[in-house]
Amino acid sequence: MMAQRHFDLKQWLVILSGFFAVQPLCEAQRTDIGVSTPVPLNLSTTVVSVPGNSTPVEVCTTEGCIAIADQILSGMNFSADPCDDFFAFACDNYIAKHPLGNRKQFNVIGELRAQAEQQVTDMMEPNANDTMTLSDAELKAKRIYAQCMQNRLAKKPDVEPLLRFMNAIMLSGWPMLKPSWDSSSFNLYNVLLNMSSFGVQPFFITELVQDVGDPTHNLITFGQPTTFASKDTLQSDIGQQVTVSYFEYVVGATRLLLKQSGVNRSVSAVMNDAMDIVDLEIDLAMAGLGDVEQRDITMLKDKMSLGMFQNNFLNQSSFFRQFTSFTRDLFTLAILSNEIDRNTTVVPMTAEVFRRIDGLLASLESLGDVGRRRIANYVGWQLVNANLAYLTKDFAIVRQEYLSKIGMSASDPKDDTAAVECGKSLRQVMPLAVASIYVRNFVPPDLQPKAAMMITDVKAGFGQMLRTANWMDDATTTTALQKLQNMLVFAANSKEITDNATALNREYSEVKIGDTFLDTMQIIIRLKVTKNLRKLTQMNVRPDPYNDAYDITTVNAYNEPIENQIVILAAILQSPFYDSQVPQYMNYGGIGFVIGHEISHGFDDQGSRFDANQLLRDWWTDTTRELYDNKKGGFVKQYSSFCTEEVGCLNGRLTLGENIADNGGIKAAYKAYFDFFKLRVKGEPEVSLPGFTDFSPEQMFFLSAGHLWCGSTSLEKAQLLLLTDPHSSARFRVNGPLSNSPEFGQAYKCPLGSKMNPTQKFSVW
């Protein structure tokens, strides 16, 4: 979410290791289902005659089979050669039938996300029986949703909640809204402290993260600030375009605020201040690390005392010279002031970035009143930007138009309903209450055991890959297998939350509903910030369903490398990823691929740094690590050669982790179905889908995997993703892993040397 600038390192790592770019199960929920305990599938079928085949074929006739067969068939281009471009074969007609129009992106995953969002908005509508059937926490969630809807549908724009909030934080006011602003009353220390309590940190970001040297404890980390564009984007050909869009956003939002607050300022004055804001944000971005540099997970090991950090890196600006005191005052919010002193261990990521930011602030301070005004305008804008989504419709639309323009929102702002936006805001602040309602409405009771069956098989498939990786020595293989065994799994939802209304009510007992929607959001956000700060003195328990609250209504899955767990959220366990009414070769090619992808992340260039006990250390022997690095280099080279004429070539270094996961994931899923699921059903063949009687289970497995990525992206968004997204583009997420799979070449009888069956194949696992 871009609504709050609250840094979450775990979330950052998830973005780097997720299937698209929470909560572990309790022990009972993580029990593996052995091969002798199959889950009933119960598909209705009919027998049909196939021309040219003397043996009748059994065809699935369930509603799910008919639907997925129609969906996949309608998207395929049978004139394309699957051995030349499998993405074209699987997806060309889907793309042709779904022109972008004003949208930035349209794809299969987006359709499922829209379906999940609609499910949330439907269930949040008031019901006459709510007071009798819902817990206190669930009732609060529905009331907040109703408050948001009332706010978004208000006919008259209302800026008063934001002005009141800003004036309480910036006692001197925001210069953009005050023609005669007095710089002498501006105290940056106090303003940043107040902003931080609401999760907005313009110059650095504070987070509590698990100690990679002792996973039972947490450490304070300081990260570089979030900016409107990354360093790499700003230095690219589209940097100017993105900057202009952001400048227009700042000006547009400010002019609307001026109009509604009754303050008169000339357009030129507003534009001058907006230029200062954008220039400062660019300077902050350029002081930070690039996207590839931020992939260096070993930064988590760079510990030092807060006093050393202060003395060696933060001694130029008046604010950063007080950084130790500032940190202590921030933690006072959580009644932890006595825990912070110069000897407190912290992790700056990285310290040199902070030295540059400190110097940037010092240079502004040297400009006197002019510099103070620029600083005040910038921090004030960050408050505005963080809260526009919580105002009435006019303000929210300004923000949505900007996000759409730069490709951060895939749809046209005019298509976004108030219900969807209110659902997103609610899921951000009360995910567990939303999850509890969602499970009762949309999660079948047997979903979790069926998902667990697949996860068991895919883990077994990946374990087989580890055992047969003859380039690994015995010691490294043993530790890798232990890590796989220790990997926690969150499948669909947590029964500890959905079956315990008392605990859920306790989790949200301090949530109060304010006079306005913005007031309510800030009450909850402040509670979240305080809860995060308190982690400094808390012991980490593995698993813990309340300290890491996951939004199970999000269509996504990911790996948490610090905690060595994979998360498969309930919303992604729907067709076309998963459906209990279809043959399992479809599910293993769909959600099985996702599960394998997330397991593989535990052994990618980042996840492989953590051992079986979650410690960030060198557990590989030198020889095996060297061979692993050579294999990684093969992927970097291969994916860097994947290019399109309109957009350009992939960055093989930026996408390395995701490419390792895609390639390992499809292999693990294939082994899971053909080596392990087959044991469950004693080798009995599965039925065909209607319209696919000529396709083998192997071919259908790969077709299911390829269909997940059908869709198209606008040129502008594709160019931005090329610079910032750790995932490869859709065409190469399909063609890359499948061209490296000997099983794919065999399934589609691709000649050796064809594009989808090259003589040189790359792999890690």
Side-chain angles (χ1 to χ4, degrees):
M1 297 292 291
M2 292 190 64
Q4 289 294 327
R5 305 300 284 275
H6 177 216
F7 178 70
D8 186 335
L9 179 60
K10 181 182 291 183
Q11 186 178 48
W12 170 64
L13 290 171
V14 162
I15 290 171
L16 296 178
S17 59
F19 196 66
F20 312 114
V22 295
Q23 224 36 309
L25 298 172
C26 64
E27 289 296 327
Q29 292 170 277
R30 292 193 294 110
T31 302
D32 285 345
I33 300 175
V35 294
S36 61
T37 314
V39 175
L41 300 176
N42 302 325
L43 300 183
S44 59
T45 63
T46 188
V47 176
V48 300
S49 297
V50 179
N53 190 341
S54 60
T55 305
V57 177
E58 193 173 8
V59 176
C60 177
T61 58
T62 65
E63 182 180 340
C65 283
I66 294 170
I68 192 63
D70 179 67
Q71 182 178 345
I72 292 180
L73 272 172
S74 66
M76 294 174 66
N77 176 10
F78 284 94
S79 64
D81 183 355
C83 296
D84 181 67
D85 184 346
F86 192 75
F87 180 82
F89 177 73
C91 299
D92 268 2
N93 280 353
Y94 178 92
I95 295 170
K97 291 178 180 180
H98 299 93
L100 285 176
N102 292 328
R103 297 174 299 206
K104 301 296 182 183
Q105 192 171 52
F106 191 88
N107 50 38
V108 169
I109 297 164
E111 288 189 274
L112 184 56
R113 283 178 171 159
Q115 174 185 309
E117 288 172 349
Q118 187 62 53
Q119 289 173 330
V120 171
T121 58
D122 287 345
M123 75 184 195
M124 296 312 298
E125 290 298 321
N127 185 292
N129 297 322
D130 281 348
T131 55
M132 294 182 291
T133 59
L134 300 183
S135 66
D136 290 345
E138 293 168 337
L139 283 171
K140 282 181 184 178
K142 279 208 168 188
R143 288 168 183 158
I144 293 169
Y145 176 82
Q147 186 183 46
C148 176
M149 287 294 291
Q150 183 180 9
N151 177 69
R152 284 296 299 270
L153 297 177
K155 294 182 180 180
K156 183 180 179 181
D158 186 7
V159 73
E160 284 304 315
L162 179 60
L163 295 179
R164 186 169 60 249
F165 176 64
M166 290 187 66
N167 289 334
I169 290 179
M170 298 183 68
L171 300 180
S172 63
W174 187 30
M176 286 282 259
L177 300 183
K178 294 189 69 173
S180 56
W181 183 74
D182 182 8
S183 68
S184 64
S185 58
F186 175 68
N187 186 312
L188 180 60
Y189 185 102
N190 290 339
V191 170
L192 291 183
L193 187 61
N194 287 331
M195 292 174 69
S196 296
S197 69
F198 291 99
V200 185
Q201 294 190 299
F203 298 112
F204 57 90
I205 301 175
T206 308
E207 180 63 283
L208 271 294
V209 174
Q210 185 174 295
D211 182 355
V212 296
D214 179 6
T216 63
H217 291 84
N218 296 304
L219 293 177
I220 304 171
T221 65
F222 300 114
Q224 68 186 58
T226 303
T227 51
F228 75 89
S230 70
K231 183 177 185 177
D232 296 329
T233 299
L234 291 171
Q235 292 176 321
S236 73
D237 292 339
I238 65 171
Q240 183 175 358
Q241 174 187 336
V242 173
T243 301
V244 169
S245 297
Y246 186 64
F247 172 75
E248 292 173 346
Y249 169 46
V250 177
V251 172
T254 303
R255 294 188 67 186
L256 183 58
L257 287 169
L258 286 167
K259 178 182 178 181
Q260 297 304 324
S261 59
V263 178
N264 292 318
R265 289 195 71 202
S266 67
V267 174
S268 61
V270 172
M271 293 180 69
N272 284 333
D273 280 345
M275 288 179 189
D276 287 340
I277 289 171
V278 174
D279 284 344
L280 178 49
E281 195 155 350
I282 290 173
D283 288 340
L284 287 169
M286 298 306 293
L289 301 178
D291 293 296
V292 173
E293 293 174 298
Q294 291 186 64
R295 285 190 51 77
D296 183 7
I297 204 164
T298 61
M299 290 188 293
L300 289 170
K301 298 175 69 174
D302 295 337
K303 305 175 186 177
M304 64 180 70
S305 70
L306 182 56
M308 179 182 295
F309 183 39
Q310 173 83 76
N311 293 342
N312 294 347
F313 299 95
L314 306 176
N315 47 34
Q316 301 174 71
S317 66
S318 60
F319 169 75
F320 275 115
R321 286 198 295 268
Q322 305 174 80
F323 194 69
T324 299
S325 298
F326 179 89
T327 304
R328 183 169 55 248
D329 289 345
L330 176 60
F331 278 82
T332 301
L333 293 170
I335 321 175
L336 297 173
S337 58
N338 293 334
E339 301 293 331
I340 305 296
D341 58 31
R342 292 179 58 82
N343 295 318
T344 300
T345 301
V346 299
V347 183
M349 302 175 57
T350 67
E352 286 299 330
V353 169
F354 282 86
R355 193 200 300 275
R356 293 193 287 268
I357 294 174
D358 184 20
L360 179 59
L361 274 183
S363 66
L364 287 169
E365 289 176 350
S366 69
L367 299 177
D369 288 347
V370 172
R372 290 169 66 82
R373 181 183 181 88
R374 290 177 182 173
I375 293 172
N377 265 332
Y378 180 69
V379 298
W381 165 249
Q382 297 308 312
L383 275 176
V384 171
N385 191 27
N387 290 282
L388 278 185
Y390 309 143
L391 298 181
T392 46
K393 182 177 180 179
D394 302 64
F395 296 100
I397 285 180
V398 170
R399 177 176 172 274
Q400 282 299 110
E401 286 177 342
Y402 162 66
L403 295 178
S404 177
K405 188 178 294 184
I406 65 168
M408 292 300 292
S409 175
S411 58
D412 188 319
K414 298 182 180 63
D415 296 335
D416 286 337
T417 66
V420 169
E421 290 305 308
C422 286
K424 289 178 181 178
S425 295
L426 184 63
R427 289 155 52 197
Q428 177 192 359
V429 294
M430 294 190 72
L432 300 183
V434 174
S436 183
I437 303 173
Y438 185 82
V439 168
R440 282 200 302 276
N441 283 273
F442 300 109
V443 178
D446 62 351
L447 180 63
Q448 203 168 70
K450 287 181 177 179
M453 178 188 76
M454 296 186 65
I455 293 168
T456 297
D457 287 345
V458 180
K459 285 183 73 174
F462 195 85
Q464 188 180 81
M465 290 159 60
L466 291 175
R467 292 185 183 92
T468 56
N470 55 20
W471 53 273
M472 296 176 67
D473 59 64
D474 291 343
T476 308
T477 300
T478 299
T479 304
L481 288 168
Q482 184 63 49
K483 177 174 181 173
L484 181 65
Q485 180 179 339
N486 290 355
M487 185 177 285
L488 292 182
V489 173
F490 177 89
N493 59 278
S494 171
K495 292 184 181 296
E496 292 183 2
I497 292 168
T498 56
D499 295 350
N500 192 339
T502 300
L504 184 63
N505 290 339
R506 185 168 56 245
E507 176 69 12
Y508 294 113
S509 61
E510 296 181 78
V511 170
K512 310 297 180 186
I513 299 178
D515 294 334
T516 69
F517 179 58
L518 185 142
D519 295 335
T520 300
M521 291 296 289
Q522 294 308 333
I523 289 170
I524 304 175
I525 290 168
R526 182 154 185 166
L527 288 172
K528 289 181 65 178
V529 170
T530 303
K531 180 179 180 179
N532 178 60
L533 296 176
R534 287 176 181 162
K535 291 180 182 179
L536 182 63
T537 58
Q538 295 172 352
M539 295 282 288
N540 290 320
V541 178
R542 185 174 181 260
D544 184 342
Y546 288 94
N547 261 338
D548 300 308
Y550 294 122
D551 173 18
I552 67 168
T553 70
T554 299
V555 176
N556 206 351
Y558 38 87
N559 180 295
E560 294 185 328
I562 296 182
E563 295 188 11
N564 189 28
Q565 73 169 343
I566 63 169
V567 178
I568 314 297
L569 300 170
I572 199 174
L573 289 164
Q574 302 182 76
S575 183
F577 286 88
Y578 175 80
D579 189 335
S580 62
Q581 294 188 7
V582 305
Q584 290 297 292
Y585 51 71
M586 297 299 295
N587 288 329
Y588 280 75
I591 198 64
F593 178 21
V594 175
I595 294 166
H597 173 103
E598 303 311 336
I599 292 172
S600 299
H601 267 308
F603 303 87
D604 69 8
D605 60 317
Q606 292 183 322
S608 66
R609 299 286 181 178
F610 293 90
D611 70 5
N613 298 311
Q614 304 162 259
L615 300 176
L616 183 60
R617 68 177 183 88
D618 293 328
W619 54 275
W620 298 63
T621 62
D622 292 342
T623 300
T624 300
R625 173 58 75 177
E626 183 178 356
L627 292 171
Y628 179 80
D629 289 342
N630 289 338
K631 287 179 170 291
K632 289 192 307 181
F635 274 139
V636 172
K637 179 181 178 181
Q638 181 188 34
Y639 278 82
S640 294
S641 70
F642 289 157
C643 309
T644 58
E645 185 176 347
E646 302 84 2
V647 181
C649 301
L650 295 179
N651 183 336
R653 293 178 61 210
L654 176 63
T655 58
L656 176 60
E658 296 299 329
N659 298 335
I660 292 174
D662 279 345
N663 281 265
I666 198 69
K667 289 182 179 180
Y670 188 91
K671 289 181 179 295
Y673 179 77
F674 291 100
D675 292 350
F676 293 96
F677 174 76
K678 288 291 189 179
L679 293 178
R680 296 180 185 278
V681 295
K682 300 178 181 179
E684 289 294 323
E686 287 202 278
V687 298
S688 298
L689 285 183
F692 287 97
T693 53
D694 289 338
F695 282 70
S696 68
E698 290 84 356
Q699 289 174 322
M700 294 305 298
F701 170 89
F702 289 113
L703 190 56
S704 175
H707 177 73
L708 301 180
W709 298 110
C710 290
S712 54
T713 304
S714 69
L715 178 60
E716 297 83 3
K717 185 174 178 68
Q719 290 173 331
L720 182 64
L721 292 175
L722 190 71
L723 295 166
T724 60
D725 193 352
H727 304 84
S728 295
S729 54
R731 181 177 302 276
F732 301 119
R733 292 198 75 172
V734 174
N735 290 352
L738 299 194
S739 67
N740 286 323
S741 167
E743 292 81 6
F744 172 82
Q746 294 168 9
Y748 279 89
K749 299 179 174 59
C750 296
L752 186 62
S754 61
K755 289 183 179 179
M756 293 301 301
N757 188 18
T759 54
Q760 183 180 20
K761 295 179 172 63
F762 296 90
S763 69
V764 171
W765 306 110

